[in-house]
Amino acid sequence: MTKYILGIDSGTTSVRSFVIDEAGAVVGFGQQELTQHYPRPGWIEHDPKQILAAQLEVMRAALRSAEVTPADIAAAGITNQRETALVWEKSTGEPIYNAIVWASRQTTEVVEKWVADGIGDLIEERTGLIPDAYYSASKIRWILDHVAGAQGRAERGELLAGTIDTWLMWNMTGRESFVTDVSNGSRTMMMNLKTLDWDDELLAHYGIPRSMLATILPSDAHLGDLEASFGAPIPIGSDLGDQQAGLFGQAAFEPGQCKMTYGTAGVLNINCGTEPQRIAGLTPSVGWTVQGTTAYEIEGVLFAQGKTMQWLRDDLQLIHAAPDSEWYAGQVQSTDGVYLVPAFTGLSAPTWDPYARAAIIGISNATTRLHIIRAAVESMVYQTRDMVEAATSGGQVAIPELRVDGGAVKNNLLCQLQADILGIPVIRPKNHEATIFGAMLLAGLSTGVYGSLEELSGMWAVERVFEPSMSRDEADGLYAGWVAARELTKGWTKNLPQR
Ligand code: ADP
């Protein structure tokens, strides 16, 4: 009898669910948008009950469209927006405040205070993370500070806190499972990168009682059973943060294997083996613990990848749609020395400068919009090389090829330029849904639908390989121009005369 796997993908802008058969074919699907709440500039929140209700609905929709019953489902796998955190009442399940979303800046002051208190180095040493409002710890601290009586109630054991995977699994297992996995834990700024458990010294500094926090399990643990409200209990066989799920879905199981996602933002994840690596400008996290082995990863985030295309489309109105960029950029052989550095909100990995601002430089009388559009496409490629250079320059990591995904990789010119500028093959797989597939394939592995990681590697199929065709001299020359342009944008807002 065919076995099916249910995928649960709790994203930032939408929640989705897939049903696949054991050959990996999608047989059912459901999706709903999530409401983004912006209570003040820079704040982003989600209603946790909407996330739960929408997720359950899309799971039912996926099962309906697959025409399978829960009894046909061998396992469920979960992947989720990382870092986003909430606090809820143990006795009623009521959230005491909205979930604070990863991108929200409302907890910046909490982190600034921790750094001023002198625990910045300790945080980095224990968690690998440079203290930032991005990670969950400051979000939990903020909620405990802003909801009357919350700290006392947390200390009396009346409140629970967690990331979205934990919230969903607690609710969907009839409040049986209060769990998370190592990949999600590694993005909270509370988990010790070595012990893979909550760090008691950090929790004491944060004033977050350990009793509020879930048990951290391997990513392929039996995390609980989806309640019988589905008609039959379905074992949850995987839990992975979204980027780690993407790395797993790209079958990057060996050290040096990596994936680059070209979405609105860009994310590079590199499997770096069984020991955490520290590389300046990039972030060490846990990829996963699977079959008793922990794979660490190195991660780099680019604030603006496809975002630059949106800017050309919506603000400059140089293109009608993002995919048009490929045709326009292909009308010229080069940018003729024009560079676009998309530091709209500062430079992200690996150079990190919040004061930088975007620039287009090298414009001459001969510059046309074709050159600007090409420069925008090229910026995606150069930014990726910045991260690859940072990762490989110390010799700790070697990257023989780049596996790519995300909405922008349909752009063949982008993929070819990426191969040319890096000097390594760029590999575009057939399946563009690496994230939810990562979670589903791992759930299948942990419940015996699949026998081994090798079997999963065999299911990952190449659509097209882009081989580098540019000379290294030419590629390095173009890249040197980018580096010079990028350096010019640094510190821009800091150095401006006060108006
Ligand atoms: P998200 O990160 O929002 O999930 P997607 O992975 O769906 O994004 O990718 C959408 C992003 O990719 C948008 O920012 C869009 O501008 C960009 N994009 C989409 N198609 C292309 C293309 N053919 N060439 C360049 N950029 C593209």
Side-chain angles (χ1 to χ4, degrees):
M1 228 188 70
T2 310
K3 291 179 184 149
Y4 296 93
I5 300 168
L6 177 68
I8 303 170
D9 178 1
S10 197
T12 308
T13 54
S14 72
V15 296
R16 309 192 309 155
S17 181
F18 277 35
V19 177
I20 56 168
D21 64 20
E22 58 197 291
V26 176
V27 295
F29 176 65
Q31 175 161 15
Q32 267 190 38
E33 297 301 307
L34 270 190
T35 314
Q36 312 293 314
H37 298 275
Y38 302 103
R40 294 195 200 167
W43 296 25
I44 312 173
E45 299 176 356
H46 285 159
D47 173 359
K49 287 166 102 176
Q50 188 201 12
I51 296 178
L52 176 62
Q55 194 70 64
L56 284 166
E57 264 184 54
V58 299
M59 287 157 68
R60 294 203 175 95
L63 289 170
R64 265 198 312 277
S65 63
E67 297 182 356
V68 297
T69 67
D72 300 321
I73 304 284
I78 184 165
T79 179
N80 56 291
Q81 52 164 322
R82 308 175 305 173
E83 297 108 9
T84 300
L86 72 149
V87 177
W88 67 94
E89 277 184 0
K90 198 181 199 169
S91 61
T92 64
E94 283 295 316
I96 65 166
Y97 189 83
N98 274 340
I100 302 183
V101 176
W102 53 272
S104 186
R105 303 310 296 170
Q106 75 212 67
T107 65
T108 303
E109 280 177 20
V110 175
V111 178
E112 282 172 359
K113 180 171 179 306
W114 286 340
V115 173
D117 289 347
I119 60 163
D121 289 346
L122 186 73
I123 291 173
E124 196 178 344
E125 180 210 313
R126 299 289 167 85
T127 68
L129 305 172
I130 295 178
D132 195 273
Y134 191 49
Y135 306 113
S136 318
S138 68
K139 302 180 196 292
I140 296 171
R141 180 67 262 148
W142 190 97
I143 295 172
L144 294 179
D145 285 339
H146 284 75
V147 176
Q151 182 67 29
R153 299 189 64 198
E155 282 165 14
R156 289 195 297 277
E158 296 168 21
L159 300 179
L160 302 178
T163 41
I164 297 300
D165 55 323
T166 302
W167 165 246
L168 290 177
M169 287 191 284
W170 188 78
N171 280 287
M172 290 182 181
T173 60
R175 304 183 179 178
E176 288 283 322
S177 296
F178 185 49
V179 294
T180 187
D181 94 300
V182 290
S183 70
N184 276 290
S186 73
R187 310 295 298 178
T188 60
M189 216 166 84
M190 298 187 285
M191 193 188 87
N192 187 305
L193 208 52
K194 277 285 194 187
T195 65
L196 305 179
D197 194 6
W198 305 119
D199 190 288
D200 285 315
E201 206 177 332
L202 287 180
L203 293 184
H205 280 294
Y206 299 155
I208 297 176
R210 184 187 253 266
S211 60
M212 294 185 83
L213 301 177
T215 305
I216 305 177
L217 293 177
S219 317
D220 63 350
H222 176 205
L223 294 124
D225 294 297
L226 295 182
E227 256 196 305
S229 65
F230 278 95
I234 300 171
I236 307 171
S238 74
D239 177 14
L240 287 167
D242 53 13
Q243 297 306 328
Q244 288 95 330
L247 187 66
F248 195 86
Q250 287 268 25
F253 305 141
E254 299 296 325
Q257 288 185 317
C258 61
K259 70 92 177 145
M260 176 72 202
T261 303
Y262 301 78
T264 305
V267 189
L268 175 70
N269 298 77
I270 309 166
N271 184 326
C272 60
T274 54
E275 291 293 325
Q277 301 276 353
R278 311 232 173 198
I279 292 175
L282 302 175
T283 310
S285 287
V286 177
W288 48 74
T289 302
V290 168
Q291 299 184 329
T293 302
T294 298
Y296 288 88
E297 57 143 22
I298 286 284
E299 179 167 326
V301 177
L302 300 172
F303 295 152
Q305 281 285 73
K307 176 102 192 123
T308 312
M309 296 304 149
Q310 295 170 14
W311 183 68
L312 293 190
R313 182 192 64 197
D314 302 338
D315 299 298
L316 296 193
Q317 302 187 347
L318 292 185
I319 52 177
H320 288 294
D324 296 348
S325 59
E326 181 171 357
W327 185 86
Y328 285 112
Q331 298 308 298
V332 284
Q333 290 303 307
S334 80
T335 66
D336 269 349
V338 175
Y339 288 91
L340 188 159
V341 185
F344 302 109
T345 54
L347 286 168
S348 46
T351 27
W352 298 110
D353 181 355
Y355 304 106
R357 283 300 175 269
I360 303 175
I361 193 153
I363 300 169
S364 74
N365 285 331
T367 301
T368 68
R369 74 170 172 158
L370 299 178
H371 298 100
I372 308 270
I373 295 166
R374 190 178 174 100
V377 174
E378 290 190 357
S379 76
M380 296 170 78
V381 164
Y382 295 133
Q383 290 194 102
T384 303
R385 176 155 167 182
D386 283 342
M387 296 198 293
V388 168
E389 295 255 315
T392 55
S393 61
Q396 289 147 284
V397 182
I399 297 180
E401 62 179 38
L402 189 72
R403 298 181 176 189
V404 298
D405 54 55
V409 297
K410 293 189 191 79
N411 187 324
N412 293 322
L413 181 85
L414 168 77
C415 294
Q416 184 58 52
L417 277 169
Q418 189 68 80
D420 287 344
I421 292 299
L422 286 176
I424 57 173
V426 164
I427 299 179
R428 189 168 67 190
K430 283 197 176 125
N431 185 344
H432 291 183
E433 295 283 359
T435 305
I436 191 163
F437 265 78
M440 290 191 289
L441 296 181
L442 181 56
L445 181 68
S446 69
T447 54
V449 176
Y450 307 115
S452 63
L453 286 171
E454 291 70 37
E455 187 179 346
L456 298 188
S457 291
M459 293 172 73
W460 178 84
V462 174
E463 185 243 323
R464 185 163 165 187
V465 178
F466 297 86
E467 293 287 350
S469 61
M470 192 181 272
S471 77
R472 294 319 301 145
D473 276 355
E474 187 180 354
D476 291 346
L478 287 169
Y479 179 66
W482 159 265
V483 171
R486 186 195 68 204
E487 292 303 299
L488 287 174
T489 69
K490 283 190 174 167
W492 180 256
T493 53
K494 199 159 57 175
N495 300 332
L496 275 184
Q498 295 299 316
R499 275 179 293 167

